[in-house]
Amino acid sequence: MWRRAAAAALLCLVAAWLSGLGFDPRSCLLPPQVQSRLLSAAELARYRGAVGEPGLYLAVLGRVFDVERGRRHYGPGGTYSGLAGRDATRAFATGDFTQAGLVDDVSALSPGEMLAVQSWLSFYSDNYDPVGKLVGRFYDENGAPTEALRQAEAAIEEALKFQAESEQRKQQFPPCNSEWSSAKGSRFWCSRQSGGVPRAWAGVPRKLYSPGATGSRCVCVRPSGPPWGQPASSQHSNRGDLDDPHLQEYDGCHPQAQQCVLAV
């Protein structure tokens, strides 16, 4: 049987090479019955890496991975041994490794926590061999995705969209530098590197009020050229983003100053 499997794997690799298409080599190395393997929670619990047990597995969002090569982390006595033999997706996001936290319920996780789940899923997909799916919350007895998985994937997609929008917003309004002392008060200033966003302009400090937020934060605003997203060739007032309705000047500071000092 294994000779046939090895021959099939070789044929798969040759076919992929001849086709010139991108592929995952692991899909050729794993027999089809392993790739589509379905495990129950009781079966997965036997794979905690202890003496006499068949291996060392863990699951993320119902996808099961062989983490034997990471035994020092996931095996008995390892820092993350609590993740072995189960789907503890929630713990990957929260860091709660108690029995209450080592569960697969992600329904109440925040967008940032769902991004952490996605990051860990990508990590295991890139570094460990997939062995099948866990029947339960995310896959049914036929290996088909459940509504819980669809909701989790939708939450991840929404979180990725929010992350992209936040990154774009950071490019438009980079955080300003700030410091405070009891003697001099608060100082805000902008540079071409402030906020960790390299750019060709420094900008001027402004208060930015985000919808739904209770306060403001200091950002650097481009004071000339077209507004964000408009081409340089368009007709504009040459005030950059200074006219954005969510911005407010600092009282007592010159509107065009790159530095603003608010005395105690």
Side-chain angles (χ1 to χ4, degrees), residues 236-251:
H236 55 81
S237 60
N238 196 35
R239 284 175 50 82
D241 292 308
L242 290 177
D243 296 324
D244 188 288
H246 299 105
L247 297 173
Q248 182 178 324
E249 295 179 8
Y250 281 96
D251 294 336

PDB file of all heavy atoms in Angstrom, residues 236-251:
ATOM      1  N   HIS A 236      -8.329  71.523  -6.581  1.00  0.00           N
ATOM      2  CA  HIS A 236      -8.441  71.449  -5.130  1.00  0.00           C
ATOM      3  C   HIS A 236      -7.940  72.752  -4.522  1.00  0.00           C
ATOM      4  O   HIS A 236      -7.400  73.628  -5.205  1.00  0.00           O
ATOM      5  CB  HIS A 236      -7.635  70.259  -4.594  1.00  0.00           C
ATOM      6  CG  HIS A 236      -6.197  70.265  -4.999  1.00  0.00           C
ATOM      7  ND1 HIS A 236      -5.234  71.008  -4.365  1.00  0.00           N
ATOM      8  CD2 HIS A 236      -5.558  69.606  -6.010  1.00  0.00           C
ATOM      9  CE1 HIS A 236      -4.067  70.805  -4.949  1.00  0.00           C
ATOM     10  NE2 HIS A 236      -4.230  69.965  -5.944  1.00  0.00           N
ATOM     11  N   SER A 237      -8.118  72.882  -3.227  1.00  0.00           N
ATOM     12  CA  SER A 237      -7.770  74.120  -2.524  1.00  0.00           C
ATOM     13  C   SER A 237      -6.326  74.158  -2.037  1.00  0.00           C
ATOM     14  O   SER A 237      -5.929  75.099  -1.359  1.00  0.00           O
ATOM     15  CB  SER A 237      -8.704  74.309  -1.320  1.00  0.00           C
ATOM     16  OG  SER A 237      -8.579  73.203  -0.428  1.00  0.00           O
ATOM     17  N   ASN A 238      -5.556  73.130  -2.349  1.00  0.00           N
ATOM     18  CA  ASN A 238      -4.146  73.039  -1.947  1.00  0.00           C
ATOM     19  C   ASN A 238      -3.987  73.093  -0.428  1.00  0.00           C
ATOM     20  O   ASN A 238      -3.048  73.666   0.085  1.00  0.00           O
ATOM     21  CB  ASN A 238      -3.313  74.148  -2.610  1.00  0.00           C
ATOM     22  CG  ASN A 238      -1.819  73.863  -2.533  1.00  0.00           C
ATOM     23  OD1 ASN A 238      -1.389  72.714  -2.612  1.00  0.00           O
ATOM     24  ND2 ASN A 238      -1.017  74.904  -2.354  1.00  0.00           N
ATOM     25  N   ARG A 239      -4.912  72.456   0.279  1.00  0.00           N
ATOM     26  CA  ARG A 239      -4.844  72.414   1.745  1.00  0.00           C
ATOM     27  C   ARG A 239      -4.707  70.980   2.270  1.00  0.00           C
ATOM     28  O   ARG A 239      -4.923  70.730   3.450  1.00  0.00           O
ATOM     29  CB  ARG A 239      -6.088  73.067   2.346  1.00  0.00           C
ATOM     30  CG  ARG A 239      -6.062  74.593   2.272  1.00  0.00           C
ATOM     31  CD  ARG A 239      -7.365  75.209   2.774  1.00  0.00           C
ATOM     32  NE  ARG A 239      -7.799  74.712   4.072  1.00  0.00           N
ATOM     33  CZ  ARG A 239      -7.324  75.164   5.241  1.00  0.00           C
ATOM     34  NH1 ARG A 239      -6.385  76.111   5.261  1.00  0.00           N
ATOM     35  NH2 ARG A 239      -7.784  74.678   6.392  1.00  0.00           N
ATOM     36  N   GLY A 240      -4.334  70.066   1.390  1.00  0.00           N
ATOM     37  CA  GLY A 240      -4.163  68.691   1.835  1.00  0.00           C
ATOM     38  C   GLY A 240      -5.427  68.155   2.491  1.00  0.00           C
ATOM     39  O   GLY A 240      -6.516  68.251   1.935  1.00  0.00           O
ATOM     40  N   ASP A 241      -5.267  67.633   3.725  1.00  0.00           N
ATOM     41  CA  ASP A 241      -6.412  67.083   4.458  1.00  0.00           C
ATOM     42  C   ASP A 241      -6.851  67.970   5.610  1.00  0.00           C
ATOM     43  O   ASP A 241      -7.580  67.528   6.495  1.00  0.00           O
ATOM     44  CB  ASP A 241      -6.054  65.692   4.995  1.00  0.00           C
ATOM     45  CG  ASP A 241      -5.880  64.678   3.887  1.00  0.00           C
ATOM     46  OD1 ASP A 241      -6.789  64.569   3.040  1.00  0.00           O
ATOM     47  OD2 ASP A 241      -4.831  64.010   3.848  1.00  0.00           O
ATOM     48  N   LEU A 242      -6.444  69.232   5.603  1.00  0.00           N
ATOM     49  CA  LEU A 242      -6.774  70.123   6.716  1.00  0.00           C
ATOM     50  C   LEU A 242      -8.263  70.365   6.870  1.00  0.00           C
ATOM     51  O   LEU A 242      -8.727  70.715   7.963  1.00  0.00           O
ATOM     52  CB  LEU A 242      -6.060  71.471   6.537  1.00  0.00           C
ATOM     53  CG  LEU A 242      -4.531  71.455   6.709  1.00  0.00           C
ATOM     54  CD1 LEU A 242      -3.962  72.843   6.418  1.00  0.00           C
ATOM     55  CD2 LEU A 242      -4.159  71.015   8.122  1.00  0.00           C
ATOM     56  N   ASP A 243      -9.022  70.175   5.807  1.00  0.00           N
ATOM     57  CA  ASP A 243     -10.460  70.450   5.862  1.00  0.00           C
ATOM     58  C   ASP A 243     -11.290  69.215   6.222  1.00  0.00           C
ATOM     59  O   ASP A 243     -12.518  69.253   6.171  1.00  0.00           O
ATOM     60  CB  ASP A 243     -10.937  71.021   4.526  1.00  0.00           C
ATOM     61  CG  ASP A 243     -10.302  72.370   4.218  1.00  0.00           C
ATOM     62  OD1 ASP A 243     -10.098  73.153   5.162  1.00  0.00           O
ATOM     63  OD2 ASP A 243      -9.991  72.629   3.032  1.00  0.00           O
ATOM     64  N   ASP A 244     -10.618  68.123   6.600  1.00  0.00           N
ATOM     65  CA  ASP A 244     -11.365  66.932   6.998  1.00  0.00           C
ATOM     66  C   ASP A 244     -12.232  67.275   8.212  1.00  0.00           C
ATOM     67  O   ASP A 244     -11.754  67.844   9.193  1.00  0.00           O
ATOM     68  CB  ASP A 244     -10.385  65.802   7.357  1.00  0.00           C
ATOM     69  CG  ASP A 244     -11.096  64.474   7.588  1.00  0.00           C
ATOM     70  OD1 ASP A 244     -11.764  64.346   8.629  1.00  0.00           O
ATOM     71  OD2 ASP A 244     -10.978  63.581   6.747  1.00  0.00           O
ATOM     72  N   PRO A 245     -13.528  66.931   8.173  1.00  0.00           N
ATOM     73  CA  PRO A 245     -14.453  67.328   9.256  1.00  0.00           C
ATOM     74  C   PRO A 245     -14.167  66.663  10.596  1.00  0.00           C
ATOM     75  O   PRO A 245     -14.704  67.098  11.623  1.00  0.00           O
ATOM     76  CB  PRO A 245     -15.822  66.907   8.719  1.00  0.00           C
ATOM     77  CG  PRO A 245     -15.536  65.826   7.724  1.00  0.00           C
ATOM     78  CD  PRO A 245     -14.230  66.211   7.098  1.00  0.00           C
ATOM     79  N   HIS A 246     -13.337  65.630  10.637  1.00  0.00           N
ATOM     80  CA  HIS A 246     -13.049  64.942  11.895  1.00  0.00           C
ATOM     81  C   HIS A 246     -11.828  65.531  12.612  1.00  0.00           C
ATOM     82  O   HIS A 246     -11.424  65.015  13.657  1.00  0.00           O
ATOM     83  CB  HIS A 246     -12.824  63.446  11.642  1.00  0.00           C
ATOM     84  CG  HIS A 246     -14.012  62.749  11.060  1.00  0.00           C
ATOM     85  ND1 HIS A 246     -14.086  62.369   9.741  1.00  0.00           N
ATOM     86  CD2 HIS A 246     -15.192  62.383  11.619  1.00  0.00           C
ATOM     87  CE1 HIS A 246     -15.247  61.790   9.517  1.00  0.00           C
ATOM     88  NE2 HIS A 246     -15.944  61.779  10.636  1.00  0.00           N
ATOM     89  N   LEU A 247     -11.268  66.583  12.049  1.00  0.00           N
ATOM     90  CA  LEU A 247     -10.075  67.195  12.635  1.00  0.00           C
ATOM     91  C   LEU A 247     -10.412  68.465  13.399  1.00  0.00           C
ATOM     92  O   LEU A 247     -11.391  69.159  13.085  1.00  0.00           O
ATOM     93  CB  LEU A 247      -9.060  67.529  11.533  1.00  0.00           C
ATOM     94  CG  LEU A 247      -8.493  66.352  10.741  1.00  0.00           C
ATOM     95  CD1 LEU A 247      -7.641  66.875   9.587  1.00  0.00           C
ATOM     96  CD2 LEU A 247      -7.675  65.446  11.649  1.00  0.00           C
ATOM     97  N   GLN A 248      -9.590  68.780  14.378  1.00  0.00           N
ATOM     98  CA  GLN A 248      -9.745  70.013  15.151  1.00  0.00           C
ATOM     99  C   GLN A 248      -8.359  70.539  15.514  1.00  0.00           C
ATOM    100  O   GLN A 248      -7.455  69.776  15.864  1.00  0.00           O
ATOM    101  CB  GLN A 248     -10.557  69.760  16.426  1.00  0.00           C
ATOM    102  CG  GLN A 248     -10.806  71.008  17.254  1.00  0.00           C
ATOM    103  CD  GLN A 248     -11.655  70.715  18.479  1.00  0.00           C
ATOM    104  OE1 GLN A 248     -12.554  69.895  18.444  1.00  0.00           O
ATOM    105  NE2 GLN A 248     -11.365  71.388  19.572  1.00  0.00           N
ATOM    106  N   GLU A 249      -8.196  71.856  15.418  1.00  0.00           N
ATOM    107  CA  GLU A 249      -6.914  72.462  15.764  1.00  0.00           C
ATOM    108  C   GLU A 249      -6.714  72.466  17.279  1.00  0.00           C
ATOM    109  O   GLU A 249      -7.679  72.415  18.049  1.00  0.00           O
ATOM    110  CB  GLU A 249      -6.861  73.900  15.241  1.00  0.00           C
ATOM    111  CG  GLU A 249      -6.889  74.016  13.729  1.00  0.00           C
ATOM    112  CD  GLU A 249      -6.852  75.476  13.270  1.00  0.00           C
ATOM    113  OE1 GLU A 249      -6.649  76.368  14.147  1.00  0.00           O
ATOM    114  OE2 GLU A 249      -7.015  75.726  12.063  1.00  0.00           O
ATOM    115  N   TYR A 250      -5.453  72.535  17.696  1.00  0.00           N
ATOM    116  CA  TYR A 250      -5.125  72.697  19.110  1.00  0.00           C
ATOM    117  C   TYR A 250      -5.198  74.180  19.459  1.00  0.00           C
ATOM    118  O   TYR A 250      -4.611  75.018  18.763  1.00  0.00           O
ATOM    119  CB  TYR A 250      -3.717  72.165  19.397  1.00  0.00           C
ATOM    120  CG  TYR A 250      -3.650  70.664  19.512  1.00  0.00           C
ATOM    121  CD1 TYR A 250      -3.287  69.883  18.408  1.00  0.00           C
ATOM    122  CD2 TYR A 250      -3.946  70.023  20.709  1.00  0.00           C
ATOM    123  CE1 TYR A 250      -3.224  68.499  18.513  1.00  0.00           C
ATOM    124  CE2 TYR A 250      -3.889  68.635  20.813  1.00  0.00           C
ATOM    125  CZ  TYR A 250      -3.537  67.886  19.712  1.00  0.00           C
ATOM    126  OH  TYR A 250      -3.474  66.511  19.813  1.00  0.00           O
ATOM    127  N   ASP A 251      -5.945  74.502  20.498  1.00  0.00           N
ATOM    128  CA  ASP A 251      -6.064  75.902  20.926  1.00  0.00           C
ATOM    129  C   ASP A 251      -4.693  76.450  21.311  1.00  0.00           C
ATOM    130  O   ASP A 251      -3.908  75.803  22.011  1.00  0.00           O
ATOM    131  CB  ASP A 251      -7.006  76.022  22.126  1.00  0.00           C
ATOM    132  CG  ASP A 251      -8.438  75.670  21.760  1.00  0.00           C
ATOM    133  OD1 ASP A 251      -8.795  75.787  20.571  1.00  0.00           O
ATOM    134  OD2 ASP A 251      -9.196  75.241  22.661  1.00  0.00           O
TER     135      ASP A 251
END
